[in-house]
Protein backbone atom coordinates (compact mmCIF):
# COMPACT_ATOMS: atom_id res chain seq x y z
CA UNK A 1 0.00 0.00 0.00
CA UNK A 2 1.50 3.40 -0.96
CA UNK A 3 2.68 5.68 1.82
CA UNK A 4 0.79 8.93 2.43
CA UNK A 5 2.66 12.24 2.83
CA UNK A 6 2.35 12.09 6.63
CA UNK A 7 4.03 8.69 6.66
CA UNK A 8 1.01 6.77 7.97
CA UNK A 9 -0.91 4.30 5.87
CA UNK A 10 -4.52 4.73 4.87
CA UNK A 11 -6.99 2.84 7.10
CA UNK A 12 -9.09 0.10 5.57
CA UNK A 13 -12.83 0.59 5.20
CA UNK A 14 -13.87 -2.75 6.69
CA UNK A 15 -15.22 -3.36 10.18
CA UNK A 16 -12.86 -2.69 13.03
CA UNK A 17 -12.08 -5.10 15.81
CA UNK A 18 -14.65 -4.97 18.62
CA UNK A 19 -13.84 -2.37 21.28
CA UNK A 20 -13.43 -2.90 25.00
CA UNK A 21 -17.00 -2.17 26.05
CA UNK A 22 -18.65 -4.46 23.50
CA UNK A 23 -20.54 -7.25 25.25
CA UNK A 24 -20.07 -10.60 23.52
CA UNK A 25 -22.31 -13.65 23.63
CA UNK A 26 -22.00 -16.91 21.74
CA UNK A 27 -25.12 -18.74 20.67
CA UNK A 28 -25.15 -22.11 18.94
CA UNK A 29 -27.64 -22.89 16.21
CA UNK A 30 -28.30 -26.58 15.70
CA UNK A 31 -29.32 -28.11 12.39
CA UNK A 32 -32.92 -29.27 12.05
CA UNK A 33 -34.29 -32.21 10.05
CA UNK A 34 -30.85 -33.79 9.60
CA UNK A 35 -30.90 -36.91 7.38
CA UNK A 36 -29.85 -40.19 8.99
CA UNK A 37 -26.13 -40.85 8.64
CA UNK A 38 -25.04 -37.17 8.53
CA UNK A 39 -21.86 -36.59 10.53
CA UNK A 40 -21.25 -33.47 12.62
CA UNK A 41 -18.53 -31.32 11.05
CA UNK A 42 -18.09 -28.66 13.73
CA UNK A 43 -19.38 -25.09 13.67
CA UNK A 44 -18.94 -22.15 11.30
CA UNK A 45 -18.84 -18.71 12.95
CA UNK A 46 -20.98 -15.79 11.83
CA UNK A 47 -20.75 -12.47 13.68
CA UNK A 48 -23.83 -10.27 14.05
CA UNK A 49 -23.57 -6.84 15.68
CA UNK A 50 -26.60 -5.36 17.32
CA UNK A 51 -27.66 -2.72 19.82
CA UNK A 52 -30.04 -3.38 22.70
CA UNK A 53 -32.03 -0.54 24.23
CA UNK A 54 -34.17 -1.53 27.17
CA UNK A 55 -35.39 -0.12 30.44
CA UNK A 56 -33.99 -1.60 33.62
CA UNK A 57 -35.15 -1.09 37.16
CA UNK A 58 -32.73 -1.90 39.97
CA UNK A 59 -34.17 -2.24 43.47
CA UNK A 60 -31.74 -1.41 46.28
CA UNK A 61 -32.69 -2.90 49.63
CA UNK A 62 -31.22 -0.50 52.16
CA UNK A 63 -30.29 -2.00 55.50
CA UNK A 64 -31.98 -0.50 58.55
CA UNK A 65 -30.18 -0.66 61.91
CA UNK A 66 -32.22 0.12 65.00
CA UNK A 67 -30.37 1.99 67.71
CA UNK A 68 -30.84 1.28 71.39
CA UNK A 69 -33.53 3.57 72.61
CA UNK A 70 -35.21 5.58 69.87
CA UNK A 71 -33.78 5.96 66.36
CA UNK A 72 -32.36 4.08 63.42
CA UNK A 73 -29.63 4.22 60.78
CA UNK A 74 -30.51 3.71 57.11
CA UNK A 75 -27.84 2.54 54.64
CA UNK A 76 -27.22 4.82 51.65
CA UNK A 77 -27.43 4.04 47.94
CA UNK A 78 -23.88 3.72 46.55
CA UNK A 79 -22.47 7.14 45.53
CA UNK A 80 -22.98 8.09 41.90
CA UNK A 81 -25.76 5.58 41.29
CA UNK A 82 -28.71 7.88 41.84
CA UNK A 83 -29.48 11.23 43.40
CA UNK A 84 -32.39 13.58 43.95
CA UNK A 85 -36.05 12.86 44.61
CA UNK A 86 -36.47 10.88 41.38
CA UNK A 87 -33.91 8.10 41.21
CA UNK A 88 -32.28 7.72 37.78
CA UNK A 89 -29.07 5.76 37.19
CA UNK A 90 -25.84 6.90 35.56
CA UNK A 91 -26.48 4.98 32.34
CA UNK A 92 -29.77 6.78 31.78
CA UNK A 93 -28.27 10.17 32.66
CA UNK A 94 -25.37 9.63 30.24
CA UNK A 95 -27.72 8.44 27.47
CA UNK A 96 -29.98 11.49 27.86
CA UNK A 97 -27.00 13.88 27.85
CA UNK A 98 -25.59 12.16 24.74
CA UNK A 99 -28.94 12.30 22.91
CA UNK A 100 -29.28 16.01 23.67
CA UNK A 101 -25.73 16.99 22.77
CA UNK A 102 -24.70 14.62 19.98
CA UNK A 103 -28.12 13.47 18.79
CA UNK A 104 -29.58 17.00 19.00
CA UNK A 105 -32.87 15.53 20.20
CA UNK A 106 -35.43 17.54 22.08
CA UNK A 107 -36.51 16.66 25.61
CA UNK A 108 -39.95 15.74 24.29
CA UNK A 109 -38.54 13.26 21.77
CA UNK A 110 -36.20 11.72 24.35
CA UNK A 111 -39.07 11.33 26.86
CA UNK A 112 -41.19 9.71 24.15
CA UNK A 113 -38.44 7.20 23.27
CA UNK A 114 -37.90 6.32 26.92
CA UNK A 115 -41.62 5.94 27.58
CA UNK A 116 -41.92 3.69 24.49
CA UNK A 117 -39.31 1.27 25.88
CA UNK A 118 -41.06 1.14 29.25
CA UNK A 119 -39.33 3.77 31.38
CA UNK A 120 -41.88 6.14 32.88
CA UNK A 121 -40.24 9.58 32.74
CA UNK A 122 -41.57 13.09 32.21
CA UNK A 123 -40.28 15.70 29.78
CA UNK A 124 -39.38 17.91 32.75
CA UNK A 125 -37.19 15.18 34.25
CA UNK A 126 -35.41 14.80 30.91
CA UNK A 127 -34.69 18.55 30.93
CA UNK A 128 -33.38 18.51 34.51
CA UNK A 129 -31.11 15.43 34.27
CA UNK A 130 -28.31 16.98 32.13
CA UNK A 131 -28.13 19.93 34.54
CA UNK A 132 -27.70 17.42 37.36
CA UNK A 133 -24.98 15.58 35.41
CA UNK A 134 -23.17 18.79 34.50
CA UNK A 135 -23.09 20.09 38.07
CA UNK A 136 -20.24 17.77 39.01
CA UNK A 137 -18.21 18.21 35.81
CA UNK A 138 -15.28 20.62 35.64
CA UNK A 139 -14.85 22.29 32.26
CA UNK A 140 -11.59 21.80 30.37
CA UNK A 141 -10.65 25.46 30.70
CA UNK A 142 -11.03 25.36 34.52
CA UNK A 143 -9.13 22.08 34.69
CA UNK A 144 -6.06 23.57 32.96
CA UNK A 145 -5.68 26.44 35.44
Amino acid sequence: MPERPGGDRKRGRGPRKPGGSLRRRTRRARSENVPHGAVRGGFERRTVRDVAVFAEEVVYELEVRKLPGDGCILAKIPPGVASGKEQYGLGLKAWIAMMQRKGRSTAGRIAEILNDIGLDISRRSVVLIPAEVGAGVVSESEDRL
Side-chain angles (χ1 to χ4, degrees), residues 79-95:
V81 171
S83 62
K85 184 179 173 188
E86 301 227 8
Q87 306 288 314
Y88 297 113
L90 291 176
L92 176 64
K93 291 175 183 180
W95 188 83

Side-chain angles (χ1 to χ4, degrees), residues 4 8 10 16 19 21 23 25 36 38 41 51 60 69 78 86 93 95 101 108 110 112 117-118 120 122 128 131:
R4 293 178 66 197
D8 55 336
K10 186 177 177 183
R16 283 149 187 77
S21 63
R23 187 178 109 184
R25 293 184 298 171
H36 182 70
V51 139
Y60 286 91
E86 301 227 8
K93 291 175 183 180
W95 188 83
R101 293 183 185 119
I110 294 170
E112 186 178 335
I117 63 170
D120 188 28
S122 68
L128 294 176

Side-chain angles (χ1 to χ4, degrees), residues 12-79:
R13 295 183 63 116
R16 283 149 187 77
K17 291 184 179 179
S21 63
L22 184 66
R23 187 178 109 184
R24 286 190 184 159
R25 293 184 298 171
T26 301
R27 299 275 170 107
R28 287 204 166 161
R30 305 275 181 187
S31 302
E32 295 178 14
N33 303 324
V34 179
H36 182 70
V39 179
R40 184 180 300 167
F43 290 91
E44 184 176 313
R45 288 183 172 232
R46 302 287 168 106
T47 301
V48 177
R49 293 190 179 135
D50 200 359
V51 139
V53 177
F54 56 91
E56 180 180 48
E57 182 175 82
V58 179
V59 176
Y60 286 91
E61 294 180 342
L62 306 177
E63 181 183 39
V64 178
R65 293 280 182 123
K66 294 188 179 187
L67 299 173
D70 196 24
C72 65
I73 298 173
L74 179 65
K76 295 184 176 164
I77 291 179

Side-chain angles (χ1 to χ4, degrees), residues 119-130:
L119 188 81
D120 188 28
I121 190 167
S122 68
R123 184 183 158 283
R124 177 173 164 72
S125 294
V126 170
V127 170
L128 294 176
I129 285 176

